[in-house]
Amino acid sequence: MRQLLPGPIVLALAACSIVLPPGTATSQGLTLDALLKMEGLGEARFDSTGRWLVFERIRPYETFPDYSYRTHAFHSSGHQVWRVDLQDGSEPELMPGIDPSAHAWIESFSPDGTRLAVMQYRAGIFSLSACEMETGGCKVFEPVPRTDWTGDYRPVWISDEELVYTALPEGQEAAQAGLRAATGAWLTRSWAAAWRGDTVTSDEVRTRRPVTHSDPASGFLVKANVRTGETTILAQGRYADLRLSPGGDRLAALAVSGPLPLDPDRLQAAIPRQRRLVYFDLETGSQEQLAEGMDFAAYTLAWAPEGDRLLGFAWEDGGGPSSGRFRVIETATGKLTTFTHTGLDLASERERGFAMRPERAAFLGKDIAIFARPVSIGHEREALFTPRDIGEPGLARTDWYRLFADGAHEVLTGDLDDVSSVPLEMGADCVLIKARQGLYCLSSGGQRKQLVNAASGNLRFVPAGSYSTYGSLSRPDAGAGALAEVRGGEVPGAMLIGPASAGLPDAKFLKSPAKGAVPIAGSLKGGAALFRVGSRAGAELLLVREGADTRGRPLARINDHLQDVAFGTWHSVSYRLEHPGDASVAEDVASCLLLPPNTTEVPLPLIVEVYPGTVPRCEPRTPILSYPNPNSPYLWAGRGYAYARIALPRDYIGTEDGPIAGMDEAVDTGLDALLATGHIDPDKIVLSGFSQGAVSALYVAAHSHRFAAIIARNGWADLTSHYFGPPGIYSILDPDYFGGEFIRYEAEAGSEFSIGQTPFDAPEAFYRNSPVLFAKQIDAPVLLMHSDMDSFSMDQFDEMYSALLRAGKDARYVRYWGEGHGPSSPANIRDMWARFDAFMEEVGAVPAVAGPSLE
């Protein structure tokens, strides 16, 4: 790539997050020992009566019972469920009936609050159970639930003592949570059988049949009686987006097909499946399909408050999400009404970091409320749903609109600021939305009433998550009430909001118990809120109750051993970045520089982390350390290194030559700005990348020669073989994942590596962006690390190492066995950092003055 002379640097070096507390000038930086002792806090929830509070506490990382969960254990396992009886004021206790050695997560309370659904995992075994809150007894159900964090497969309560959930078929029970453990066990059995010679160990993968409809995906719809522990099969097949009707007698769901054949003439934005709308009569057990010929997006279904209509986002067979419309179906007659949003472009959930599906719509009487923006000039007659990237800049403002069946629409929030895309609560007379000015109810007639005035402070919706629905997905169900944080005013605290069952919901305010305390759960009925106070490393849970001590009641405290750790100082380095293909296109960006604690050494060795699409933030609210991340920049700072996250906005790293073809120019410009601060030794700059950052780092290393060394971990190196190759560990037990990487390169938006063509049609774009083919251009020593059970095949780094070997380069290649997306085992985490230390010393990039003790 051409090397640009650095343009004028607008240098703004400002300390943004000075973590060093007063009086601890000699405090030690973060060590690996301290990180591996980290605890954590997860979800918390009150039951519907306000009597019970449950919360997740994550035990110290080095004490986990096993590290086999998914493709990495940190940040996602180690959880234990604790309960508090607010009625008798007892102290928090581990939830009885749950295996104390298992990882356990909160799922949901029964409608009457007497039972709690819990997910458990231990050594490859995953389960759904229900526990009696009064006695603590738990029933574990079979078959094993099909679940993930997206909300597609949430279990639902259909009564106070019955749950319905989607289950996995026999042989696939551990293919998700226990992916590594299950794969290891299956391979061990297969190898042993082949060596014995008495058992056939082959399998066969077939391309998909050329038909317009596919067989159902494997699985079951199961009804579990939580009192007896008995389960019955309601239906064969896989069902997503389970939605109970307001009357509790019917269950809507999406029947999921197996993968459909790929169209060789159409780009793939997702693995093609069909999702058909069905509903079950829970009294008779009968099943009926609705909206024939319509393919629905998961997690978009909603019942009308009267229970006579269903709303969802769907498109006709042969179409796709961009041609989708919101559809309303009358369940008694099957009549389908299409709501065409002419003149509007639906806002995508992807814009805030999740799936490429529209934000949730809601009923407004006979009409619906949608979240959208006006179409651009020239498209006024169109109804659009445009694929978007995460945080895509320059988009027109979005608002809530009332959409009529005839296609007419009216804006409902045009005079409000910072309107939220998420309804906090929904009822017959109120769709509760948030804006800068407060909380508002949008009524069935389209009128707007203010519930809370935010003039005295800002409001932030606090979503309630569970194991199967990540909280920030923010699609709360009707009737559950809501919680909002009041901040920025004279009296911060929690706004407790009741169900919107009739008219405006009730609301109550509880004052914050301490400066910086953040509410994480609340109960209007119980007059209580749970606050988290402290830094993101050390924290305490405080329970505040109406009429009680305003300082709150301590329930849990974690990570006291980190209170005196000096994490270092974040700085923002601002400069102007030009587009590599057009110098007339430029913008001001900022990269983040972390300086180590307790050092006066200048200049410092620097670790430069790259990841495509990064627009880093280094404001004071940036988390210090929210979980025991073995890839944490604070471990580098604790060793005496400076660390930088380089700004690599997607629009400035992609060119006509490919999605990362301009990354080297963007990195070079950022380095010039960092060097201008005077803090960095230009001869001790090490380029590092993990996951998508690994292929990026290797590419930059081949086109820029400013680095003393290169570290690339758990990524890929050859875009063509990655496109066609297996998706790592996922291909072994579930061959449906073959072809899963097509999407990364073909998607119109939402992917940092989108080329918009296949290797059949544009082979040059794939090899121009593949660092394996530029190995001869890499001059710096290289450290490669990968794992055999990653979702990125380790074969990719086998290729990269072989290319460096053949090119006569200085490379070393570390392979971790039994690990997924980076090491999870404490032993392997320690080994990884020992190898980092040895590599840095070998290439001469260590600090001139020794940092604090490494362990």
Side-chain angles (χ1 to χ4, degrees):
M1 302 303 295
R2 66 188 180 93
Q3 298 295 314
L4 293 180
L5 291 174
I9 296 173
V10 182
L11 184 61
L13 182 58
C16 287
S17 180
I18 300 176
V19 185
L20 192 64
T24 58
T26 59
S27 294
Q28 188 180 51
L30 181 67
T31 66
L32 199 52
D33 275 347
L35 181 130
L36 294 176
K37 289 179 170 58
M38 271 194 70
E39 301 170 87
L41 297 169
E43 301 289 349
R45 186 168 294 193
F46 290 88
D47 81 293
S48 59
T49 70
R51 175 184 174 183
W52 297 102
L53 166 65
V54 291
F55 63 90
E56 294 168 358
R57 182 166 179 168
I58 304 167
R59 67 199 100 186
Y61 189 77
E62 63 185 6
T63 68
F64 281 18
D66 71 89
Y67 299 89
S68 64
Y69 183 77
R70 291 191 181 268
T71 57
H72 62 270
F74 55 88
H75 192 39
S76 54
S77 60
H79 297 60
Q80 294 179 313
V81 177
W82 291 68
R83 73 173 181 182
V84 181
D85 187 345
L86 304 183
Q87 184 172 288
D88 65 12
S90 58
E91 292 299 311
E93 63 173 349
L94 277 171
M95 188 73 194
I98 298 176
D99 179 357
S101 65
H103 308 278
W105 301 266
I106 296 164
E107 184 51 48
S108 58
F109 275 108
S110 61
D112 64 357
T114 61
R115 299 177 175 93
L116 178 70
V118 175
M119 297 291 185
Q120 296 185 63
Y121 172 81
R122 186 176 187 276
I125 306 300
F126 188 69
S127 65
L128 169 66
S129 57
C131 302
E132 301 285 342
M133 293 304 301
E134 194 75 53
T135 66
C138 297
K139 295 284 196 311
V140 179
F141 306 119
E142 293 182 354
V144 171
R146 168 72 166 88
T147 187
D148 56 33
W149 60 270
T150 65
D152 289 3
Y153 296 101
R154 302 178 310 157
V156 297
W157 292 90
I158 61 171
S159 70
D160 292 333
E161 58 179 44
E162 290 179 306
L163 266 172
V164 172
Y165 68 95
T166 297
L168 292 165
E170 185 176 357
Q172 295 183 20
E173 295 92 339
Q176 294 171 36
L179 181 64
R180 286 184 288 143
T183 301
W186 185 85
L187 289 172
T188 300
R189 291 193 301 271
S190 298
W191 291 333
W195 299 333
R196 287 195 313 270
D198 58 4
T199 303
V200 174
T201 59
S202 65
D203 66 6
E204 180 178 287
V205 180
R206 291 287 304 271
T207 54
R208 297 153 198 166
R209 294 173 296 171
V211 295
T212 56
H213 299 280
S214 179
D215 295 330
S218 57
F220 311 96
L221 191 64
V222 176
K223 180 169 68 173
N225 186 301
V226 302
R227 180 175 50 82
T228 65
E230 296 176 352
T231 57
T232 55
I233 305 297
L234 289 180
Q236 298 283 334
R238 186 183 303 175
Y239 291 86
D241 207 0
L242 307 180
R243 299 283 171 179
L244 184 67
S245 67
D249 58 339
R250 287 167 295 165
L251 182 72
L254 298 178
V256 182
S257 77
L260 296 172
L262 298 180
D263 183 344
D265 299 320
R266 173 182 287 186
L267 296 175
Q268 297 299 317
I271 296 176
R273 297 179 184 268
Q274 288 175 335
R275 292 171 175 84
R276 300 301 199 198
L277 177 61
V278 296
Y279 83 99
F280 297 87
D281 185 317
L282 295 174
E283 295 179 354
T284 65
S286 62
Q287 175 183 347
E288 182 177 348
Q289 181 173 316
L290 302 173
E292 185 72 31
M294 290 289 169
D295 193 357
F296 281 78
Y299 210 29
T300 65
L301 297 184
W303 283 94
E306 302 80 12
D308 59 347
R309 292 166 295 152
L310 276 165
L311 167 64
F313 184 77
W315 51 92
E316 296 179 358
D317 284 350
S322 291
S323 65
R325 304 286 185 269
F326 284 105
R327 322 278 179 167
V328 173
I329 304 97
E330 296 178 7
T331 55
T333 64
K335 179 184 176 182
L336 182 146
T337 302
T338 298
F339 284 69
T340 302
H341 51 281
T342 304
L344 296 176
D345 190 354
L346 299 175
S348 172
E349 190 183 82
R350 182 70 179 175
E351 295 171 35
R352 57 186 178 90
F354 298 104
M356 197 70 72
R357 58 190 174 203
E359 293 287 2
R360 189 175 192 172
F363 281 101
L364 283 181
K366 297 300 181 182
D367 312 313
I368 63 174
I370 64 172
F371 196 69
R373 56 176 57 88
V375 296
S376 57
I377 296 174
H379 297 274
E380 290 81 3
R381 294 179 176 271
E382 298 179 56
L384 301 179
F385 177 46
T386 306
R388 302 292 184 191
D389 288 316
I390 297 173
E392 185 170 325
L395 298 177
R397 79 167 267 155
T398 44
D399 280 291
W400 284 96
Y401 288 82
R402 184 183 186 185
L403 182 61
F404 302 87
D406 62 4
H409 62 261
E410 62 179 9
V411 63
L412 301 176
T413 57
D415 59 334
L416 300 177
D417 302 314
D418 299 333
V419 179
S420 169
S421 62
V422 179
L424 280 67
E425 169 67 317
M426 292 171 289
D429 303 312
C430 177
V431 176
L432 187 65
I433 60 99
K434 181 185 75 67
R436 182 188 297 175
Q437 292 89 339
L439 301 180
Y440 294 85
C441 271
L442 308 178
S443 71
S444 58
Q447 297 84 10
R448 194 179 74 205
K449 297 180 180 179
Q450 189 171 42
L451 175 68
V452 174
N453 187 320
S456 62
N458 298 322
L459 290 171
R460 180 185 69 91
F461 171 51
V462 181
S466 69
Y467 176 85
S468 59
T469 306
Y470 179 54
S472 294
L473 279 171
S474 302
R475 289 180 174 233
D477 294 327
L483 173 67
E485 178 190 3
V486 179
R487 57 184 180 179
E490 295 181 1
V491 185
M495 185 64 64
L496 312 176
I497 303 160
S501 52
L504 289 174
D506 294 327
K508 184 179 296 181
F509 175 78
L510 290 180
K511 182 181 176 181
S512 173
K515 183 178 180 180
V518 176
I520 60 174
S523 169
L524 178 70
K525 196 153 190 178
L530 185 65
F531 288 81
R532 176 176 177 148
V533 63
S535 74
R536 294 300 297 271
E540 187 174 24
L541 290 181
L542 297 176
L543 176 66
V544 175
R545 303 193 65 181
E546 188 177 24
D549 188 342
T550 57
R551 293 173 298 179
R553 174 187 166 198
L555 297 183
R557 186 177 179 89
I558 63 170
N559 296 333
D560 281 340
H561 71 290
L562 296 178
Q563 294 306 311
D564 292 329
V565 169
F567 288 92
T569 308
W570 280 108
H571 298 268
S572 179
V573 181
S574 299
Y575 52 95
R576 194 152 186 82
L577 181 64
E578 293 182 354
H579 192 281
D582 185 353
S584 67
V585 177
E587 69 174 75
D588 293 331
V589 299
S591 291
C592 294
L593 177 64
L594 175 65
L595 297 181
N598 311 328
T599 181
T600 57
E601 177 200 351
V602 175
L604 294 161
L606 174 68
I607 307 296
V608 174
E609 192 80 27
V610 293
Y611 195 92
T614 294
V615 182
R617 296 171 58 190
C618 32
E619 296 91 341
R621 62 178 175 272
T622 301
I624 301 303
L625 198 63
S626 55
Y627 62 92
N629 180 6
N631 309 312
S632 173
Y634 302 105
L635 289 171
W636 286 112
R639 282 161 156 72
Y641 294 87
Y643 172 96
R645 289 195 179 108
I646 296 286
L648 298 171
R650 188 178 292 109
D651 291 343
Y652 283 79
I653 61 174
T655 72
E656 292 181 355
D657 289 331
I660 60 172
M663 185 180 288
D664 52 312
E665 286 101 330
V667 171
D668 278 343
T669 303
L671 278 180
D672 289 332
L674 294 170
L675 288 170
T677 68
H679 289 280
I680 306 305
D681 186 335
D683 297 322
K684 294 183 178 181
I685 301 175
V686 175
L687 181 65
S688 176
F690 176 76
S691 190
Q692 292 191 143
V695 60
S696 303
L698 291 168
Y699 179 87
V700 171
H703 295 88
S704 178
H705 306 288
R706 307 177 66 171
F707 304 102
I710 314 297
I711 300 173
R713 300 182 295 127
N714 292 86
W716 68 97
D718 185 338
L719 271 60
T720 302
S721 62
H722 183 233
Y723 175 95
F724 288 116
I729 188 175
Y730 286 98
S731 66
I732 298 175
L733 292 184
D734 192 347
D736 285 348
Y737 278 100
F738 273 99
E741 292 297 348
F742 298 165
I743 302 163
R744 187 185 303 272
Y745 299 102
E746 298 182 31
E748 294 180 69
S751 171
E752 289 79 7
F753 284 85
S754 176
I755 293 175
Q757 292 180 290
T758 72
F760 300 124
D761 302 316
E764 300 87 354
F766 282 79
Y767 72 66
R768 279 196 302 260
N769 289 262
S770 296
V772 70
L773 299 176
F774 298 102
K776 290 182 72 173
Q777 298 175 202
I778 297 177
D779 294 331
V782 178
L783 172 60
L784 300 173
M785 289 183 168
H786 219 302
S787 313
D788 64 327
M789 290 187 162
D790 198 346
S791 54
F792 298 132
S793 175
M794 195 164 70
D795 293 349
Q796 284 290 313
F797 272 20
D798 292 351
E799 286 187 40
M800 190 67 213
Y801 175 72
S802 295
L804 293 166
L805 176 68
R806 184 66 185 87
K809 301 300 180 178
D810 181 5
R812 64 280 293 139
Y813 180 20
V814 180
R815 298 177 292 175
Y816 288 103
W817 304 101
E819 297 285 12
H821 200 43
S824 291
S825 153
N828 283 334
I829 291 171
R830 291 182 185 281
D831 178 80
M832 178 178 72
W833 278 94
R835 292 178 186 274
F836 287 161
D837 294 335
F839 181 59
M840 301 300 278
E841 184 172 355
E842 182 182 346
V843 301
V846 295
V849 178
S853 170
L854 300 188
E855 305 303 336

